[in-house]
Amino acid sequence: GYIESSNSASINNIQIQSEGGTSVVFTIPTPASIPLQSVVIGQNAMKDTVDSGIQNVVIGRNSQQYSSGSLGNVSIGFSTLQYISSSINNVAIGQLAGYENGKYLSGSNNTFLGYNASYGNNTDIENSTALGANITLTDSNTVILGNGASVGIGTTSPSQKLEVVGDIAITDFPSVSAS
């Protein structure tokens, strides 16, 4: 294989190509403010960034395209975390993960894993995790597993919303009455 660069005065993209013709193209964006200590790969990735971005990992077309003052965010996939403002330590993996059209995420320490795992109208959400496709986080400090999914502990095929195979230890369990 070989490495080819273009635009000798300032490199705008680097192409790594095998002899069989398969290519991976790394496009270096020309954002309004150059991100610092970041890895940026993809068309329009961090393109319209203002106030820089620091220590972000951005892989995918349109990822973190409109960002302002972001720090330590990881976005992998098409349009992940496309709109963020002063967000810190968010992780989005999967097409449209952490994406909400035109609504800037200002919250921090969130994880969005799966196609279209998002934050809806709650743009200041904090410390929350969405695992699965089409999940919308509505509150801070929550973990949401799957859209209609069942959870199994000690089983690979739960037959209920929560199925536990094995012993359970509960300490200080509040009393519950059936209603």
Side-chain angles (χ1 to χ4, degrees), residues 145 150-165:
L145 303 174
S150 296
V151 176
I153 299 174
T155 178
T156 58
S157 55
S159 60
Q160 303 295 318
K161 285 291 182 189
L162 173 61
E163 182 176 348
V164 179
V165 176

Side-chain angles (χ1 to χ4, degrees), residues 106-119:
S106 59
S108 297
N109 304 311
N110 299 297
T111 304
F112 305 96
L113 298 177
Y115 170 79
N116 201 34
S118 187
Y119 49 89

Side-chain angles (χ1 to χ4, degrees), residues 39-103:
V39 175
V40 180
I41 301 171
Q43 182 183 14
N44 296 329
M46 292 194 95
K47 180 181 177 218
D48 296 310
T49 297
V50 293
D51 296 334
S52 186
I54 300 172
Q55 298 171 346
N56 294 291
V57 176
V58 184
I59 301 172
R61 183 174 184 230
N62 299 336
S63 291
Q64 294 189 39
Q65 181 177 358
Y66 305 102
S67 64
S68 172
S70 61
L71 169 66
N73 296 294
V74 176
S75 57
I76 300 173
F78 174 76
S79 291
T80 52
L81 293 175
Q82 188 173 7
Y83 297 90
I84 57 175
S85 176
S86 302
S87 291
I88 299 171
N89 299 328
N90 293 292
V91 175
I93 299 174
Q95 182 176 341
L96 300 174
Y99 171 85
E100 203 56 55
N101 192 16
K103 296 177 185 168

